[in-house]
Amino acid sequence: MERGKGIAGLIQQDCFDLIRVQFPEVKVLRYTRSGYLAPEALAKFRLICKQEILPLCFELEEIRPKLDSAISQLKTCGAEWEDPILLQASDVQRVFLNPNVVGGVLPGKTIVQDCAAYRPLQSNLEILLKKNLIWLADGKEEPRVLSLGANPYRIPMGADYKRFSVNIFGKHFPGARNQFLAQLQRGIGTLQGSLYCVMSLEPCLWQQMHSFCQSSLGLHQERDFEGQMVLEKDMSTGRRAQSHKGGGFKPHPDDEILPLRFELEEIRPKLDSAISQLKTCGEEWEDPILLQASDVQRVFLNPNVVGGVLPGKTIVQDCAPYRPLQSNLEILLKKNLIWLADGKEEPRVLSLGATPYRIPMGAEFNRLNIDIFGKHFPCARNQFLAQLQRGIGTLQGSLYCVMSLEPCLWQQMYLFCQSSLGLHQERDFEGQMVLENDMSTGRRAQSHKGGGFKPHPDDVSA
């Protein structure tokens, strides 16, 4: 399977979607990638920095005397040894928010702690201070080198095996070497067994540090890493861009997304009033038909519906695309959806409404997904109102409603929601695409929200 298309990628994307919903003020996403990235893949991101990784593996009982001996020898020879300074919580903010440190020591003006990238902000430092890290520096005023050491934790590499991460910032080798030794000495404490130590540092220091570990500690690189990059993209672009060229995904027609957020007690009278007014004025109001299980297969497998109503001959339910097959309809029928149509024979519009479910946006917050198929606005509007009325039932609290519909209907639906229900778009989506590829490529058909990425600069992390 292609990297980024597996279960971990889906979980990551769901996390991104949750962040977009719960923290709309978050505009930029930063994360790390190890190994080689092809230029065309790298061009989709802003490259903030790079760092090299030096992984070391050793027995703790064997390393202790070597570590003490190396430090003692450096102190005796005066080889630019200075005891690293342990920063207290009160020092951390002053040192890590110093503009000279941010611009001259931190790689890409970024704090990288065990593969997680943080901007040097007070709120992020407060998060890191809760992690019980070892914060070292070669000075409190204008340091040249800083480092973070994490608490060792158990890993499944063998009996009594632990992992220890050390992140070093700065390009002065003696300071970096001294802090690595001090971090190792403090980190291992009275631990027993084996240690897998992962050190990240500036690329220009990697060879010197590797040679020092070999000659003074008798350590060897555990395995080869190709470095680590801190990448950045805008949150507003939604899901990752995919290739639409030969050998890539085949795009199907797009859907637009209209997200709405409201208090249920306030929307009920507005909803009843809007439906009543449409019925009174005779503005092409027809009560949508609730399809029973026996109707669903006949309607959704009708060739005219498949070719003329379903977008790209696809049923999209809450971002998941299904081909109109009997087996897929049986799966969907188990989901307790609300299936509506404007007719059972040759419908112009169909819709699916999911059961609302709780989301962590606040107390008593539920999410309702409505997928509308077809390009006839009055029927789409009627089914949206009916889905909303059926979906909210006796729910209390707040609702986050996400509606997908044909692009040609988006503006009309948005204006209707504003004028008749007093609702406004909760946030901006850049639409949703259903993409497809052959299984032989290791990819799957999936829905895809948002646009692409913007390219950017570069640096290093490990």
Side-chain angles (χ1 to χ4, degrees):
M1 181 173 284
E2 183 179 346
R3 181 172 181 167
K5 307 298 189 299
I7 296 299
L10 291 175
I11 293 171
Q12 182 188 63
Q13 191 56 56
D14 283 342
C15 291
F16 294 163
D17 289 343
L18 180 61
I19 290 169
R20 291 187 189 98
V21 172
Q22 192 170 358
F23 303 102
E25 68 276 12
V26 176
K27 303 300 182 186
V28 174
L29 168 69
R30 283 188 173 185
Y31 56 106
T32 55
R33 282 286 182 271
S34 297
Y36 173 75
L37 271 184
E40 59 271 20
L42 194 55
K44 299 173 184 177
F45 304 88
R46 295 190 289 268
L47 177 58
I48 301 303
C49 68
K50 293 178 184 174
Q51 286 191 303
E52 288 296 336
I53 298 181
L54 181 56
L56 305 163
C57 190
F58 46 82
E59 298 299 314
L60 287 163
E61 289 306 305
E62 295 176 8
I63 200 63
R64 282 192 175 92
K66 295 179 180 178
L67 184 58
D68 294 339
S69 173
I71 293 174
S72 175
Q73 190 172 358
L74 287 170
K75 287 181 178 180
T76 304
C77 299
E80 294 189 66
W81 175 269
E82 293 178 8
D83 287 320
I85 298 169
L86 178 65
L87 298 179
Q88 304 302 318
S90 57
D91 305 317
V92 167
Q93 306 229 12
R94 181 163 55 85
V95 171
F96 277 79
L97 297 181
N98 179 335
N100 293 334
V101 170
V102 172
V105 179
L106 297 181
K109 300 181 180 180
T110 302
I111 302 169
V112 182
Q113 195 276 312
D114 194 12
C115 299
Y118 300 82
R119 282 187 172 175
L121 303 172
Q122 184 172 338
S123 55
N124 285 336
L125 290 173
E126 288 170 359
I127 293 170
L128 289 168
L129 282 167
K130 294 175 182 177
K131 291 191 171 190
N132 198 26
L133 304 172
I134 300 169
W135 303 71
L136 297 183
D138 62 347
K140 292 185 180 181
E141 299 310 320
E142 296 295 335
R144 294 172 295 180
V145 175
L146 301 166
S147 63
L148 301 180
N151 276 328
Y153 56 91
R154 294 288 290 273
I155 54 174
M157 280 181 67
D160 221 3
Y161 236 106
K162 297 176 181 66
R163 172 178 168 139
F164 179 51
S165 296
V166 179
N167 297 92
I168 298 174
F169 316 125
K171 300 179 179 179
H172 184 253
F173 174 68
R177 175 202 59 202
N178 299 349
Q179 288 189 41
F180 165 62
L181 294 173
Q183 287 282 5
L184 196 54
Q185 198 171 46
R186 286 176 175 272
I188 64 178
T190 57
L191 291 175
Q192 302 297 315
S194 304
L195 194 75
Y196 179 61
C197 176
V198 180
M199 177 184 4
S200 76
L201 71 169
E202 288 283 346
C204 62
L205 301 183
W206 191 91
Q207 189 58 53
Q208 287 173 282
M209 189 69 79
H210 183 228
S211 299
F212 171 77
C213 289
Q214 278 187 313
S215 60
S216 298
L217 300 176
L219 300 179
H220 298 275
Q221 184 179 9
E222 171 62 13
R223 64 191 183 91
D224 188 32
F225 272 89
E226 292 187 35
Q228 175 176 273
M229 291 172 283
V230 177
L231 303 171
E232 181 180 89
K233 69 175 181 179
D234 295 330
M235 285 293 286
S236 60
T237 61
R239 295 181 182 264
R240 287 187 294 273
Q242 309 284 5
S243 171
H244 296 169
K245 297 179 181 177
F249 284 98
K250 293 174 272 189
H252 289 256
D254 297 359
D255 278 340
E256 286 296 337
I257 303 290
L258 179 56
L260 305 163
R261 174 174 168 171
F262 45 82
E263 298 301 315
L264 287 163
E265 289 308 304
E266 296 175 8
I267 200 63
R268 282 192 174 91
K270 295 178 181 178
L271 186 56
D272 293 340
S273 173
I275 293 175
S276 175
Q277 190 173 359
L278 287 170
K279 288 181 177 180
T280 304
C281 299
E283 291 188 29
E284 297 189 65
W285 175 269
E286 294 177 9
D287 287 319
I289 298 169
L290 178 64
L291 299 179
Q292 304 302 317
S294 56
D295 304 317
V296 166
Q297 305 231 13
R298 181 162 55 87
V299 171
F300 277 78
L301 297 182
N302 179 335
N304 293 334
V305 169
V306 172
V309 179
L310 298 181
K313 301 181 180 181
T314 302
I315 303 167
V316 181
Q317 195 277 311
D318 190 12
C319 300
Y322 299 83
R323 284 189 173 176
L325 304 172
Q326 184 173 338
S327 56
N328 286 335
L329 290 173
E330 289 170 358
I331 292 170
L332 288 168
L333 283 166
K334 294 176 182 177
K335 290 191 171 190
N336 197 27
L337 303 173
I338 298 171
W339 303 71
L340 297 184
D342 65 333
K344 292 185 180 181
E345 300 308 320
E346 295 296 334
R348 293 169 293 179
V349 174
L350 302 166
S351 62
L352 302 180
T355 301
Y357 56 92
R358 294 290 289 272
I359 55 175
M361 283 179 68
E364 282 202 274
F365 231 109
N366 291 279
R367 172 172 169 149
L368 171 65
N369 293 291
I370 300 174
D371 296 280
I372 299 174
F373 316 124
K375 299 179 181 180
H376 187 256
F377 174 69
C379 291
R381 174 202 61 202
N382 299 349
Q383 289 190 39
F384 163 63
L385 294 173
Q387 287 283 6
L388 196 55
Q389 198 171 46
R390 287 175 174 274
I392 63 179
T394 57
L395 288 175
Q396 302 297 315
S398 305
L399 192 75
Y400 180 64
C401 176
V402 180
M403 176 182 10
S404 75
L405 71 170
E406 288 282 347
C408 63
L409 301 184
W410 191 93
Q411 189 64 35
Q412 288 173 282
M413 189 68 81
Y414 180 45
L415 293 174
F416 171 76
C417 290
Q418 278 187 314
S419 60
S420 299
L421 300 176
L423 301 178
H424 297 276
Q425 184 178 12
E426 169 64 12
R427 65 187 184 87
D428 186 33
F429 272 88
E430 296 184 28
Q432 172 176 277
M433 292 177 286
V434 177
L435 306 175
E436 178 182 88
N437 206 355
D438 298 329
M439 282 295 288
S440 59
T441 63
R443 296 169 177 158
R444 64 186 169 281
Q446 62 180 5
S447 66
H448 179 83
K449 294 179 184 174
F453 307 91
K454 302 173 189 174
H456 201 52
D458 106 60
D459 235 288
V460 191
S461 119

